[in-house]
Amino acid sequence: MKKEKQSFLKKLGPGVITGASDDDPSGIATYSQAGAAFGYKTLWTALITFPLMAAVQETCARIGLVTKKGIVANIYEHYPRWVLYLLFLFCFPAIVMNIGADISAIGAVSNMLFPDIEAIYFSVVFTIILILSLVLLPYAKIALILKWLCITLFVYIIVPFITREDWFEVLKATFTPDFEFDAGFVGVLVAILGTTISPYLFFWQANISLEDMAAKKNKKLSNRMLKDMRQDVFSGMFFSNIVMFFIILTAGAVLFKAGIRQIDTVDQAAKALEPLAGEKAYLLFAIGVLGTGLLAIPVLSGSISYMFSEVFNFREGLDKKFYEAKPFYIILSISLILGLSLEYLGIKPVKALLYSAMLYGLTAPVSLAIILHLANNKKVMGKYKNGWLANTLGITTLIFMIVAAVLLVYLQFWS
């Protein structure tokens, strides 16, 4: 039993890191707002997003392992250039703004814990630490650090157990979906869907699965590798949705019941918890934000660097030393510096999140349609092309994302 447990833990890697990074500070703010505004009414969304996320991320990882290329490299090879440029046009600014919002959240929460030091100083220091870590450390060390950072997400599972919960009410809200035909409620559902299924995760998953394959010195694809990959991806997405569930639960149990209906940033959520749920809940929530920020930002910046490297045929990879892949690491560093600079340009984190959510919402359906097309192309995927279940879940996700994109545009410009 012990050996089986150790074997299972060893298999966990890119999928768990991807899933955990999805619960970044911007995601935490979204889930906190859902719980604060509507209590337990959105808990059921975790049951919907898990199979959709799992199917999409497994497809991306499989494309990477089978083709030995990332999603962008496959688009570059099999699609017209305008498709690629359109994706870049929307994805690049969206990811940079997401990085900026997460860096700002880390600074704000650190300032909350150490009020004598201004938030911007924390943001600058953490940005420098991240750049140096990603440039100087080998992939194996980076992967190990990111795996350990995943543990910080467990704090969100602990918090509801140190507050009073009506568990019968929780179970009822989880398994009996509630829906309000209201712009605010629909907006929160769109935000949850856009936060959980983000295009940058598609690009990252394919590339990091290749990195992991290289690190384990596996050159030939096997059914065993695919089975291990699925176990890893499904575990990561399950973990991600469990954390999402408990953040909504915490905000619903504490903030909603106290009459706090509006949460714009994660530090607001943490501060609001302190007088209502006690110092322990407040500290755990804040520590979780720091951990998830440090986990998610490398994933965001890495996805940008992989995208550019594959288009311009730069040597890429976190397993390479700086002198072996200079453009890759320079792009990665620039994306972090651009994210940090948003604060100096006067772009508020809430605005950055709003803009990135809109851009993600517009690009996700296009990205997903291309991924599904690639996954069903026998010339590209051979015997590893999508089966009926992957297609059913993928098409369902695509439909949801199209509806979400239409609703997003409607809510922003016509409601």
Side-chain angles (χ1 to χ4, degrees):
M1 183 72 179
K2 192 176 179 181
K3 282 185 179 179
E4 285 179 14
K5 193 176 179 182
Q6 287 176 340
S7 175
F8 172 72
L9 291 173
K10 277 185 180 179
K11 290 171 188 172
L12 300 183
V16 169
I17 292 168
T18 304
S21 70
D22 193 41
D23 295 317
D24 67 333
S26 61
I28 294 167
T30 299
Y31 308 143
S32 297
Q33 175 56 32
F38 300 102
Y40 297 150
K41 287 185 178 180
T42 59
L43 285 176
W44 58 271
T45 57
L47 299 179
I48 305 295
T49 54
F50 166 61
L52 302 183
M53 280 180 74
V56 171
Q57 295 304 132
E58 187 276 339
T59 300
C60 293
R62 183 160 31 90
I63 289 171
L65 293 176
V66 171
T67 64
K68 303 290 190 295
K69 295 173 187 171
I71 301 296
V72 170
N74 273 293
I75 295 172
Y76 185 81
E77 185 176 336
H78 300 288
Y79 291 88
R81 293 288 178 271
W82 67 265
V83 175
L84 195 58
Y85 299 145
L86 189 65
L87 281 179
F88 262 74
L89 182 65
F90 288 104
C91 281
F92 178 71
I95 297 171
V96 167
M97 283 188 279
N98 203 156
I99 291 170
D102 285 353
I103 289 174
S104 179
I106 287 178
V109 169
S110 299
N111 169 252
M112 194 173 62
L113 297 173
F114 304 97
D116 294 337
I117 304 172
E118 287 186 37
I120 189 63
Y121 294 127
F122 283 112
S123 296
V124 171
V125 169
F126 279 121
T127 301
I128 293 169
I129 290 170
L130 285 167
I131 290 173
L132 291 175
S133 300
L134 291 168
V135 170
L136 298 176
L137 295 178
Y139 169 77
K141 283 267 175 69
I142 294 169
L144 186 63
I145 292 167
L146 293 178
K147 272 201 231 182
W148 278 108
L149 283 170
C150 293
I151 293 171
T152 58
L153 284 168
F154 280 105
V155 301
Y156 295 115
I157 299 173
I158 297 168
V159 171
F161 292 98
I162 59 176
T163 59
R164 291 182 180 179
E165 299 287 348
D166 182 342
W167 290 102
F168 176 76
E169 192 183 341
V170 170
L171 288 171
K172 185 181 174 185
T174 304
F175 294 102
T176 53
D178 198 346
F179 190 89
E180 291 183 14
F181 290 95
D182 164 83
F185 190 80
V186 172
V188 163
L189 290 185
V190 171
I192 289 173
L193 192 62
T195 301
T196 53
I197 304 172
S198 300
Y200 77 88
L201 292 177
F202 308 160
F203 307 125
W204 167 265
Q205 185 72 69
N207 285 102
I208 204 66
S209 296
L210 279 173
E211 293 257 9
D212 195 63
M213 183 181 180
K216 290 175 181 174
K217 297 179 181 176
N218 293 323
K219 293 182 180 179
K220 192 175 179 183
L221 185 63
S222 65
N223 288 329
R224 165 58 65 182
M225 283 173 60
L226 285 172
K227 186 180 176 184
D228 290 348
M229 175 273 289
R230 288 190 184 105
Q231 193 175 61
D232 174 40
V233 169
F234 294 165
S235 298
M237 299 311 119
F238 181 74
F239 180 46
S240 175
N241 280 269
I242 286 288
V243 171
M244 164 188 152
F245 177 89
F246 277 97
I247 294 171
I248 294 173
L249 174 57
T250 299
V254 181
L255 305 181
F256 177 79
K257 289 183 179 177
I260 297 171
R261 297 288 185 269
Q262 185 64 40
I263 292 292
D264 293 319
T265 60
V266 284
D267 55 306
Q268 279 182 15
K271 281 176 186 172
L273 280 175
E274 186 179 16
L276 301 167
E279 192 177 350
K280 285 181 183 176
Y282 150 79
L283 284 173
L284 286 173
F285 202 90
I287 290 165
V289 172
L290 291 175
T292 57
L294 293 172
L295 171 65
I297 293 168
V299 173
L300 286 156
S301 57
S303 65
I304 285 180
S305 202
Y306 282 121
M307 288 168 71
F308 272 93
S309 297
E310 289 184 344
V311 168
F312 297 105
N313 202 26
F314 296 145
R315 201 169 182 201
E316 64 181 31
L318 293 168
D319 61 330
K320 306 286 187 301
K321 294 190 183 338
F322 179 75
Y323 68 85
E324 295 175 315
K326 282 183 185 177
F328 175 82
Y329 285 111
I330 289 169
I331 293 164
L332 189 148
S333 303
I334 288 171
S335 69
L336 285 167
I337 293 165
L338 284 174
L340 176 66
S341 70
L342 293 184
E343 285 193 60
Y344 293 99
L345 294 173
I347 300 174
K348 300 293 182 187
V350 177
K351 289 267 187 187
L353 287 178
L354 175 64
Y355 296 147
S356 61
M358 288 178 71
L359 291 168
Y360 281 151
L362 294 171
T363 51
V366 179
S367 304
L368 196 49
I370 292 169
I371 287 164
L372 285 171
H373 189 264
L374 274 172
N376 282 282
N377 188 332
K378 200 166 185 180
K379 288 181 181 177
V380 176
M381 298 295 290
K383 65 178 181 178
Y384 297 111
K385 72 184 186 71
N386 265 12
W388 68 270
L389 182 59
N391 276 332
T392 301
L393 290 170
I395 291 166
T396 303
T397 310
L398 178 61
I399 292 168
F400 278 164
M401 295 309 291
I402 291 170
V403 171
V406 172
L407 285 172
L408 184 66
V409 172
Y410 173 76
L411 290 168
Q412 288 302 317
F413 298 106
W414 287 289
S415 64

